[in-house]
Amino acid sequence: MKQILIIGSGFAGLNAAKVLAGGKNVGITLIDRNNYHLFQPLLYQVATAGLSPAEIAVPIRSLFASYANVRVFQGEVIDIAPNDNLVHTDIGEFYYDYLILACGARHFYFGNAAWEEFAPGLKTVEQAVEIRRRILSAFEKAETISDMQEKSRLLTFLIVGGGSTGVELAGAIAELSRFTFARDFRNIDPTMARIILVEAGPRILPTFSEGLSAAARVALERLGVHVWTSRKVARIDREKVTIDGETVAAATILWAAGIQASGLNRFLGGTLDPMGRIIVEPDLSLKEHNHIFVVGDQAHVARQQGRPLPAIAPVALQQGRFVARNLLREIKGRKRKSFHYKDKGQLTTIGRKKAVMEFGGIELQGFWAWMAWLVVHIYYLMGFKNRLFVLLQWTISYLNYEKGARLIVRKNWRFYGPEKEKDG
C-alpha cells in the first residue's frame, strides 16, 4: 500500500484527500495546523460581522469519518527531508511514498514585518475575529466620546490593497456603517465613517478588465468609499498611515496588499519566484524529487502566456484534484499527465446586489453578477449545514441589513477563579 502524506487542508489539500480517499491500495495521512477546513473566500464576512467562523469552517475529521484509509492529525511541520521521504512535525515523524504540499500563503509586508501588528491581514479565523474586534470596538468607542477629531479618527478605516479582498472589505465596512449601524447608534452620524481603499497600481481589481475595474470603483464610491489609486504606503504606525507624504489618522488599518508562499518551500531545494512560490514541473511535481508535489498558493505554475497562475481558490481546487488523480493513475501503472487549468472566470462582490464577474469573455456587473457570486459561494461551501446557515444569514442581511455576528471578543483575557466569580 502506497503512503500518501498531505500537508495542509485548504482547497488543494482537502480536494486531493477527497479524491484519494476513494482509491484502492493507498493510505492517506492529512496534517494541518488547524482541525478544520476554512472557506477563505468568505473570511471577510466574518471580519465584518456578517457570519460566524463556524459557518464557514467544517471539522476535517467529520469529512473523512467514513474512510478507513484516511488519518487526520493536527500538527505543524518543522522540517522536510526529501531524500529520506520524511516530514518532521511537532507531533512526530511521518514517512511517505508521495508527498503533497498544500500549505497556502501568508501575508507579505514587503520587508516591513513590523506593520503586521498595526495592519492585520485576512488569511485565518484568528485574523478575521481580530479585525471584527477592531471594527466594532471603533464604533463603540466613537459612540462614547464628544471630541470630534478623535471621533473622526475612530471612524476612519483604511484598507491597503485594491484586489478582491480589499474591495470586499471596503464594501462590507461601508454597508455596515451606512446601513446597519445607522439605526443602532445614537451619537454617530454614519456619514462620518470614512473608508479609504489605497491601491499602489493605477486601478483596483487589476486582474479584471478595465471596464469592470471602473464599474467596481463607481460602486464603491456610491457607498461612500474613498478609492485612492497610484498611491503608495510609506509607513504604518499604530494610529496613522503615511501615503505619498500625506498622513492619515485611522483607528483601523487593514492589509490586503501582498502574499508570500509558505516558508516550507525553503526545505525543498528548488527555484523560488519573488513571491516565494516554488517552480514545479508540468505534472506539479518537483524536478529533483518527482515523488513530491506542490500545489495551490505554494506553487509557481506557468500559463501559456508565461505568467504564473493566480493564487485563487479555483486554481488550488483543480490542482489538488489533478495531483490525486495522477497519483492513482501512476499507482495503477499508467503514465502521468500534465496539468492544464480550466479557467472558471473570476468574481468579486462589492456589497448588497453589487458584484463584478468575468467568465469566458462574458462580463457582468450589478445584481446578476452578485447572484452568480452568491450561488458559487454557497455551492462550494463544505457541508449541508454550512450552506443552510450561510443562506439563512444572507437572506436576513438582504432583507434588513442586519449583521448577526457582532460579538466583540477581547484580544487579551484573564481567567478569574472562584473568589472573583463570587464577587461578580
Side-chain angles (χ1 to χ4, degrees), residues 76-311:
E76 193 156 353
V77 174
I78 299 172
D79 187 17
I80 299 173
N83 294 325
D84 300 324
N85 286 28
L86 278 177
V87 170
H88 303 273
T89 76
D90 59 353
I91 57 173
E93 293 182 346
F94 291 85
Y95 170 84
Y96 59 85
D97 292 302
Y98 295 103
L99 173 63
I100 301 175
L101 290 169
C103 301
R106 59 188 188 277
H107 282 287
F108 183 54
Y109 290 81
F110 304 101
N112 300 284
W115 292 359
E116 185 173 12
E117 178 185 356
F118 313 125
L122 187 57
K123 284 288 184 184
T124 67
V125 167
E126 292 82 1
Q127 290 170 332
V129 172
E130 170 61 13
I131 290 172
R132 183 181 70 184
R133 184 191 69 81
R134 295 189 185 196
I135 293 172
L136 299 181
S137 294
F139 281 98
E140 292 292 345
K141 291 175 183 176
E143 175 80 352
T144 65
I145 62 174
S146 56
D147 181 87
M148 295 306 294
Q149 185 173 350
E150 176 62 8
K151 190 187 288 282
S152 175
R153 184 189 71 80
L154 287 168
L155 294 180
T156 297
F157 305 87
L158 191 144
I159 302 105
V160 183
S164 291
T165 300
V167 167
E168 289 172 344
L169 275 171
I173 295 172
E175 287 195 336
L176 195 66
S177 63
R178 297 317 193 256
F179 302 107
T180 304
F181 287 165
R183 299 170 300 180
D184 291 357
F185 289 85
R186 301 294 177 262
N187 299 324
I188 295 176
D189 178 357
T191 60
M192 282 188 65
R194 188 184 184 201
I195 299 97
I196 303 171
L197 179 63
V198 182
E199 167 57 41
R203 60 188 179 93
I204 61 172
L205 299 181
T207 61
F208 284 77
S209 70
E210 291 189 13
L212 290 180
S213 173
R217 178 169 187 155
V218 169
L220 284 173
E221 290 175 340
R222 285 177 177 169
L223 282 172
V225 177
H226 302 272
V227 181
W228 294 357
T229 52
S230 301
R231 305 281 292 274
K232 292 185 178 181
V233 172
R235 183 181 177 86
I236 298 178
D237 295 299
R238 187 172 300 279
E239 297 180 350
K240 61 181 182 297
V241 181
T242 303
I243 305 168
D244 288 342
E246 179 182 352
T247 299
V248 179
T252 305
I253 307 163
L254 307 177
W255 186 265
I259 60 172
Q260 188 173 44
S262 166
L264 292 181
N265 281 347
R266 69 184 184 275
F267 296 121
L268 304 176
T271 303
L272 305 183
D273 70 7
M275 288 176 57
R277 297 177 295 188
I278 194 163
I279 296 175
V280 296
E281 296 295 289
D283 64 354
L284 307 183
S285 69
L286 297 183
K287 186 175 184 179
E288 301 298 327
H289 305 283
N290 70 354
H291 60 297
I292 298 178
F293 299 83
V294 184
V295 292
D297 298 351
Q298 201 174 343
H300 176 115
V301 183
R303 286 191 284 190
Q304 291 180 347
Q305 299 90 338
R307 294 176 298 170
L309 289 173

